Amino acid sequence: MKKLIIVFVLLFSQSNLTAQKSDNFIQYVNPLIGTQKMGHTFPGATVPFGAVQLSPDTDEQPYLINGKYNRETYRYCAGYQYDDKTIVGFSHTHFSGTGHSDLGDFLIMPTLGEMQLEPGDKNNPKTGFRSAFSHETEAVEPNYYRVKLEDDNILAEMTTSTRVGFHQYTFPASDKAHIIFDLMHGIYNYDDKNVWTFVRVENDHTIVGYRQTNGWARTRTVYFAMEFSKPFTNYGFKDFKPSLYKGFWRKFDQTKNFPEMAGEQIRAYFDFKTAKDEKIKVKFALSPVSTDGAMKNLQTEIPHWDFEKTKKEGQNAWSKELGKIAVTAEKKDDLVNFYTAMYHTFLSPTVYMDTDGNYKGLDQNVHSAKNFTNYTTFSLWDTYRALHPFLNIIQPKRNRDMINSMMAHYDQSVHQMLPVWSHYANENWCMIGYHSVSVIADAVVKGNVEGIDANKALDAAVKTVQTRYYDGLEFYMKLGYVPEDKNSSSVSKTLEYAYDDWCIAQMAKKLSRTEIYDEFTKRSENWKNVYDSRVGFTRPKSSNGKFAEKFDALKTEGQGYIEGNSWNYSLYVPHQPDKMIEMMGGKQKFAAHLDELFTMHLPDEYFAETEDITREGIIGGYVHGNEPSHHVAYLYNWADAPQKTQERVRMILKNQYRPTPDGLGGNDDCGQMSAWFLFSTLGFYPVAPGSDRYSLGSPAIKTAILKLENGKTLTIEANNQSDKNVYVQKVLINGKQIHRNYITHTEIINGGKITFLMSNKPNI
Amino acid sequence: MKKLIIVFVLLFSQSNLTAQKSDNFIQYVNPLIGTQKMGHTFPGATVPFGAVQLSPDTDEQPYLINGKYNRETYRYCAGYQYDDKTIVGFSHTHFSGTGHSDLGDFLIMPTLGEMQLEPGDKNNPKTGFRSAFSHETEAVEPNYYRVKLEDDNILAEMTTSTRVGFHQYTFPASDKAHIIFDLMHGIYNYDDKNVWTFVRVENDHTIVGYRQTNGWARTRTVYFAMEFSKPFTNYGFKDFKPSLYKGFWRKFDQTKNFPEMAGEQIRAYFDFKTAKDEKIKVKFALSPVSTDGAMKNLQTEIPHWDFEKTKKEGQNAWSKELGKIAVTAEKKDDLVNFYTAMYHTFLSPTVYMDTDGNYKGLDQNVHSAKNFTNYTTFSLWDTYRALHPFLNIIQPKRNRDMINSMMAHYDQSVHQMLPVWSHYANENWCMIGYHSVSVIADAVVKGNVEGIDANKALDAAVKTVQTRYYDGLEFYMKLGYVPEDKNSSSVSKTLEYAYDDWCIAQMAKKLSRTEIYDEFTKRSENWKNVYDSRVGFTRPKSSNGKFAEKFDALKTEGQGYIEGNSWNYSLYVPHQPDKMIEMMGGKQKFAAHLDELFTMHLPDEYFAETEDITREGIIGGYVHGNEPSHHVAYLYNWADAPQKTQERVRMILKNQYRPTPDGLGGNDDCGQMSAWFLFSTLGFYPVAPGSDRYSLGSPAIKTAILKLENGKTLTIEANNQSDKNVYVQKVLINGKQIHRNYITHTEIINGGKITFLMSNKPNI
């Protein structure tokens, strides 16, 4: 832990502003949080929702070794693991917090001396172009990353604009300075993931090309344009998997100073001579469309070589976004947690179009985004819960653009489906449900629909959920549940479909589409079909209508669930808690049941199969590191035990979010874990997105001022709040006490003041 | 030969027009000519210069077998070999007459009964989806191909528009009718040539997608849109090389009725129920840009289901193009030879842009062709000789568009080079020289430059020929020749560079660019540097300035030549025959030298290494089946022996062009062999394109009326011409006798009449 402390001293000691007074919220963001163990965040540079997320990769692991899944791969979902001692290089695309992965495109690495075109051994970095590094020399800020590459004593700095990565390397004096450009590198780089790569050296400082992969995204191409601040003296490449057929290209020596490179697995290099402390800068633009698009993005966004200017512009963008909530808190750590969480919620979805509005669609054609910004990276199974509801309040315009991006996806989908988990003009089908409909319903019900064709969106939702070949839907529509003998994770699917169906009903109600409302209100009760009142849990059911014989409510694998066991998943009826509680024996029994969940001991054998989380990611049997239980602590509100919601929420906030690299108990999941933190810290949570209600918890700040896009301001005050004073005595809206466990969306966006009077005793 | 006769009876017996009177020239075209042995033509349907060239493939051979070149591949450069007994299917792209290959995209094959997704054994076609066929049931016409697929008794017919193939299959009654759609099939299909394929089933009758290959063209993608005239009942596909990584697509059974397919090696099928004699039609559009582009092409070009209408429109287009020269001749065979040759000259270059003008450029970006039609398939080492000069007279507008296409290629080339051999947004670098400059110079010198920026084209030419890393150019520029120890085929390259340099000089002269004229006039004499006056031949020279010790003027391999030995290649000074003859000992000696060439016996050991041609492709030691000697018969004109030019030309016309499937003595080479035939048959030949002169030979028609694009008409009369009367007694232009061995371009395009008075005796 010694090293850690040093890092934080480095990072924060420059600031002499007090936490309470400053509105320079960037200082509280620590992008290293979550980079150790299972957080799967990355520490590199990006602007809010940036297309380029430029970050060091500390290792690259093949997805398969001898045809078998390599468990090490999983640690590198975001490319960087805090415990590693070497950096392979800096690549331009990263997911934040995912539990499966892709990307890591276009690795850049500066080196000196003899050319090495292999990354080398992580335990002996001198064997390749990778380099030792230490956290002592790291600086990590929003839109700025700096590290000393120790092998060759090169200082690496990076910053970005939305579509352009800006590298700055300070070299020692050398006749043999190189910049390696690795197109083989990637995250989750299983065999043959690279389908094709293509590079053109346009002149002595400009390179363009693309990388096409078959990975989590099956048919994905990313185009680039790269400019060096100084002409290279020589360049070349190596083809690590030459085609059997060379054709008439044999007439050239393509390996050196030959301006066209192509192949499946190639790495290039560019040579320079450097004076002492000479900076070589690299601007690296991405495009979803073409190299022309990438070049235009480069020229439009960063037409200069002023690294500091770009850094500053990006940090100003962060200041603006983070400033949308001005928080005061007792301890600096609280601010670090809050603004780092806010930072993480603003990393994705990512912008996915050129500056001219062109983007590649799901149909692989080029489309033009009319009147919206096109986004990608939709980890919807995670993010429908809290991230999109959070954006619906704090980033309503962007949330609408995201919905329009999802609608464009629908228009381009040959399945006529809204996205499930989509990135880079691809549906990757990850996880379950059809939670696009929740995101859309949440916006429609809350009236955040300017520029969205809400009726068309409802039609798209209805069409989506009728895709018979999708994940057991044929049976779900026929039987009212997904039968376990026909489709795995059948209970999870049934429960989530039922909630999503309720979302469709809510949207239909808002739009006065009665038939749809009726149909989907009926479907929304399907969760009952997998509830076995004899055991008090949901459990898998066969297509013959009988529940499975074997059943273990603690077990996940092979039990009809995914990322959660029956103990956790059986509580997944966010849209109808009252009915669920009634079915489970009434409020009192239910509160006791929740208590048991939070206090039980989950034996190691069960924990081992709980994906994605550390041992710290669970509390009793409650698994916060995975998403299905994210609403559970709030369910006490329906069981006449709001004080328990308040206790549990504060316990989770304290245990699961710490301002350290290992501070996240599970994958941040594209901001969902962070969005939970933000809501809960502010004192309320959207248990059922698609409802206009937020369930009240226990605010963990002193004050928070929300600057809303409608020009209004909402102030949240938590009077007398402290680590001990977690209980809410009274809630006043604009000075008037309310006598309910929820607030409405209107009460938030109309602005004003919500006052929580806190105490160390429950208000029973 | 019996079978052959039957075919021709089928083909021609319907016509009761006499050869002399008809202007229905289509009747004389026999696309089967050249489909046997080495002609490498294809018999399928296409419109003039069509992007879609839809033709049966009788076999598919891997390029490599166990890592070694499979000699059988070569026979299938155009997909069809006349001697074969089975058809694998019908694919949409073919080169005509090349000696290396690519394409064969998107094979369609109708079948009945049990589904077979492998093509099967050519000796036992029932083992797969291929079918036996017989020439008896074949009908081959411009833009129409018909055959009975015997295995399943299906009649296959096809026709095209520029960008759309139109299939019509007449089925027996069946519950199990299928249309196979093979994306693995291809020509020169070495291992892993398919980089990626992608298919979307948009609805029950529409499919779109693309095929991306790494072949002769290294980075090539072709997009398609396909429509069936009738909904299919079911469909599916098989992935013959599944990726190790399946991701979350595993949740689907993708093999049946799943609308999205992707992978490296896939074949799909579509099922139908058919009544007796029911026709299922397929429209299949290509695009260089996108599936959207393909769909637009389909809808724009063939918005209906009237097969006969499309056939008729295409045949009308052929009538119009073929009608540009109205020939009368003594024998029908002469007309068959003439119009089939003309047909073959109008097959390529091919249109390479969508109906909206968009196309993919060499830089892989999408460009819009402004004020020109973009073409591809530039086999320039072949076609600069006679094809482009022929187009310069008969298709001047298209020739200008082709030059503008070459200029676009230049603008998009990272090498800043004009094309060498290019197709489908790729330079494939095949063969030698930089003959784009000849094509451009020929147009510039002849004044066919409306809409071409001639000065920019000259700059492009100069830039192209200064690419130091290109094929020995660095040495050529320094030493005045390509040294054999530095670069193979050094003599051929030196000779061709020298001629091309002369072309640049001619263009510069026309444009009054004196410096360039002087520089390249000097370079144009470089052929002298490889001429060894001691042996009377060119021969390879080392970088130390010494000729190679070993030398065999009959040998090709390892001797400094390509597609020709020193005997043939030493005559390759088309731009300065006088100087060459002087160096070779004067006119008399030179004429005797030519006589020796035409009458010598080339021993089998030497013939064996002469690529691309049949034994019939040579006359003595003169190799007509390859291009480097195409001007040689005309060189007698410079040696005061025009009667020998007349004799030899007529001999070549007779021996090398016969109206039978095996009638071509060598690869037609994208129309070059045919263009030689057309010029020579009309009585003149462009010995040195880039000059405005055509050397006179011996016309082999009675009359020919050239309808020029400028509205003028040129009539060529060969009075008293016959197989025996091959000698020219007098030539009159508009009634005035000329006393020279050439005519000028102006004399042709000004129209009027050129009269040859023929005799059976030389005019000595």
Side-chain angles (χ1 to χ4, degrees), chain A residues 734-748:
Chain A
N734 297 322
K736 271 186 74 173
Q737 189 176 355
I738 59 167
H739 299 281
R740 45 182 154 96
N741 288 326
Y742 64 87
I743 54 173
T744 67
H745 189 69
T746 309
E747 287 164 348
I748 291 172

mmCIF file of all heavy atoms in Angstrom, chain A residues 734-748:
data_model
loop_
_atom_site.group_PDB
_atom_site.id
_atom_site.type_symbol
_atom_site.label_atom_id
_atom_site.label_comp_id
_atom_site.label_asym_id
_atom_site.label_seq_id
_atom_site.Cartn_x
_atom_site.Cartn_y
_atom_site.Cartn_z
ATOM 1 N N ASN A 734 -38.743 22.097 -1.319
ATOM 2 C CA ASN A 734 -38.968 23.543 -1.254
ATOM 3 C C ASN A 734 -39.634 23.924 0.075
ATOM 4 O O ASN A 734 -40.594 24.697 0.120
ATOM 5 C CB ASN A 734 -39.805 24.018 -2.449
ATOM 6 C CG ASN A 734 -39.052 23.768 -3.749
ATOM 7 O OD1 ASN A 734 -37.827 23.933 -3.799
ATOM 8 N ND2 ASN A 734 -39.779 23.350 -4.780
ATOM 9 N N GLY A 735 -39.130 23.316 1.117
ATOM 10 C CA GLY A 735 -39.563 23.669 2.466
ATOM 11 C C GLY A 735 -40.787 22.928 2.951
ATOM 12 O O GLY A 735 -41.134 23.006 4.118
ATOM 13 N N LYS A 736 -41.432 22.189 2.046
ATOM 14 C CA LYS A 736 -42.650 21.474 2.455
ATOM 15 C C LYS A 736 -42.334 19.992 2.641
ATOM 16 O O LYS A 736 -41.824 19.340 1.732
ATOM 17 C CB LYS A 736 -43.733 21.593 1.361
ATOM 18 C CG LYS A 736 -44.611 22.815 1.537
ATOM 19 C CD LYS A 736 -45.768 22.801 0.516
ATOM 20 C CE LYS A 736 -46.862 21.788 0.821
ATOM 21 N NZ LYS A 736 -48.014 21.966 -0.118
ATOM 22 N N GLN A 737 -42.663 19.522 3.829
ATOM 23 C CA GLN A 737 -42.347 18.120 4.094
ATOM 24 C C GLN A 737 -43.189 17.183 3.227
ATOM 25 O O GLN A 737 -44.366 17.447 2.969
ATOM 26 C CB GLN A 737 -42.598 17.797 5.565
ATOM 27 C CG GLN A 737 -42.072 16.414 5.939
ATOM 28 C CD GLN A 737 -42.219 16.117 7.417
ATOM 29 O OE1 GLN A 737 -42.632 16.989 8.194
ATOM 30 N NE2 GLN A 737 -41.889 14.897 7.805
ATOM 31 N N ILE A 738 -42.557 16.134 2.772
ATOM 32 C CA ILE A 738 -43.318 15.099 2.053
ATOM 33 C C ILE A 738 -43.384 13.868 2.932
ATOM 34 O O ILE A 738 -42.510 13.633 3.770
ATOM 35 C CB ILE A 738 -42.690 14.748 0.687
ATOM 36 C CG1 ILE A 738 -41.241 14.247 0.854
ATOM 37 C CG2 ILE A 738 -42.749 15.946 -0.261
ATOM 38 C CD1 ILE A 738 -40.675 13.604 -0.387
ATOM 39 N N HIS A 739 -44.452 13.093 2.717
ATOM 40 C CA HIS A 739 -44.651 11.899 3.536
ATOM 41 C C HIS A 739 -44.727 10.672 2.632
ATOM 42 O O HIS A 739 -45.747 10.010 2.530
ATOM 43 C CB HIS A 739 -45.911 12.056 4.383
ATOM 44 C CG HIS A 739 -45.820 13.227 5.315
ATOM 45 N ND1 HIS A 739 -45.122 13.183 6.506
ATOM 46 C CD2 HIS A 739 -46.277 14.503 5.205
ATOM 47 C CE1 HIS A 739 -45.174 14.373 7.092
ATOM 48 N NE2 HIS A 739 -45.875 15.187 6.314
ATOM 49 N N ARG A 740 -43.662 10.462 1.941
ATOM 50 C CA ARG A 740 -43.573 9.294 1.045
ATOM 51 C C ARG A 740 -42.098 8.946 0.885
ATOM 52 O O ARG A 740 -41.220 9.737 1.242
ATOM 53 C CB ARG A 740 -44.211 9.609 -0.311
ATOM 54 C CG ARG A 740 -43.824 10.960 -0.895
ATOM 55 C CD ARG A 740 -44.527 11.245 -2.229
ATOM 56 N NE ARG A 740 -44.682 12.672 -2.512
ATOM 57 C CZ ARG A 740 -43.844 13.389 -3.270
ATOM 58 N NH1 ARG A 740 -42.771 12.838 -3.798
ATOM 59 N NH2 ARG A 740 -44.073 14.667 -3.477
ATOM 60 N N ASN A 741 -41.891 7.749 0.319
ATOM 61 C CA ASN A 741 -40.525 7.250 0.174
ATOM 62 C C ASN A 741 -39.936 7.529 -1.202
ATOM 63 O O ASN A 741 -38.969 6.894 -1.599
ATOM 64 C CB ASN A 741 -40.489 5.735 0.410
ATOM 65 C CG ASN A 741 -40.693 5.415 1.866
ATOM 66 O OD1 ASN A 741 -40.253 6.195 2.717
ATOM 67 N ND2 ASN A 741 -41.345 4.303 2.147
ATOM 68 N N TYR A 742 -40.560 8.391 -1.938
ATOM 69 C CA TYR A 742 -40.042 8.641 -3.283
ATOM 70 C C TYR A 742 -40.183 10.119 -3.633
ATOM 71 O O TYR A 742 -40.952 10.858 -2.991
ATOM 72 C CB TYR A 742 -40.778 7.787 -4.313
ATOM 73 C CG TYR A 742 -42.248 8.112 -4.439
ATOM 74 C CD1 TYR A 742 -42.684 9.130 -5.311
ATOM 75 C CD2 TYR A 742 -43.208 7.426 -3.710
ATOM 76 C CE1 TYR A 742 -44.030 9.448 -5.423
ATOM 77 C CE2 TYR A 742 -44.551 7.734 -3.814
ATOM 78 C CZ TYR A 742 -44.954 8.749 -4.678
ATOM 79 O OH TYR A 742 -46.268 9.084 -4.794
ATOM 80 N N ILE A 743 -39.436 10.525 -4.616
ATOM 81 C CA ILE A 743 -39.656 11.824 -5.246
ATOM 82 C C ILE A 743 -39.879 11.573 -6.737
ATOM 83 O O ILE A 743 -39.569 10.476 -7.249
ATOM 84 C CB ILE A 743 -38.467 12.789 -5.049
ATOM 85 C CG1 ILE A 743 -37.167 12.135 -5.535
ATOM 86 C CG2 ILE A 743 -38.352 13.207 -3.592
ATOM 87 C CD1 ILE A 743 -35.972 13.090 -5.537
ATOM 88 N N THR A 744 -40.438 12.571 -7.404
ATOM 89 C CA THR A 744 -40.742 12.366 -8.826
ATOM 90 C C THR A 744 -39.744 13.129 -9.703
ATOM 91 O O THR A 744 -39.044 14.036 -9.264
ATOM 92 C CB THR A 744 -42.149 12.875 -9.170
ATOM 93 O OG1 THR A 744 -42.160 14.293 -9.028
ATOM 94 C CG2 THR A 744 -43.204 12.248 -8.268
ATOM 95 N N HIS A 745 -39.732 12.709 -10.955
ATOM 96 C CA HIS A 745 -38.838 13.352 -11.915
ATOM 97 C C HIS A 745 -39.151 14.844 -12.040
ATOM 98 O O HIS A 745 -38.237 15.670 -12.122
ATOM 99 C CB HIS A 745 -38.965 12.659 -13.275
ATOM 100 C CG HIS A 745 -37.945 13.111 -14.267
ATOM 101 N ND1 HIS A 745 -36.599 12.817 -14.143
ATOM 102 C CD2 HIS A 745 -38.065 13.862 -15.394
ATOM 103 C CE1 HIS A 745 -35.938 13.349 -15.157
ATOM 104 N NE2 HIS A 745 -36.797 13.992 -15.936
ATOM 105 N N THR A 746 -40.444 15.152 -12.004
ATOM 106 C CA THR A 746 -40.842 16.555 -12.105
ATOM 107 C C THR A 746 -40.270 17.370 -10.954
ATOM 108 O O THR A 746 -39.827 18.504 -11.132
ATOM 109 C CB THR A 746 -42.387 16.654 -12.102
ATOM 110 O OG1 THR A 746 -42.886 15.760 -13.090
ATOM 111 C CG2 THR A 746 -42.845 18.067 -12.416
ATOM 112 N N GLU A 747 -40.300 16.772 -9.771
ATOM 113 C CA GLU A 747 -39.761 17.479 -8.599
ATOM 114 C C GLU A 747 -38.271 17.760 -8.756
ATOM 115 O O GLU A 747 -37.753 18.734 -8.214
ATOM 116 C CB GLU A 747 -40.036 16.678 -7.324
ATOM 117 C CG GLU A 747 -41.515 16.751 -6.934
ATOM 118 C CD GLU A 747 -41.963 15.696 -5.927
ATOM 119 O OE1 GLU A 747 -41.189 14.732 -5.672
ATOM 120 O OE2 GLU A 747 -43.087 15.808 -5.422
ATOM 121 N N ILE A 748 -37.610 16.910 -9.496
ATOM 122 C CA ILE A 748 -36.179 17.150 -9.735
ATOM 123 C C ILE A 748 -35.982 18.231 -10.786
ATOM 124 O O ILE A 748 -35.290 19.218 -10.562
ATOM 125 C CB ILE A 748 -35.475 15.836 -10.154
ATOM 126 C CG1 ILE A 748 -35.440 14.873 -8.956
ATOM 127 C CG2 ILE A 748 -34.069 16.118 -10.672
ATOM 128 C CD1 ILE A 748 -34.940 13.485 -9.291
#
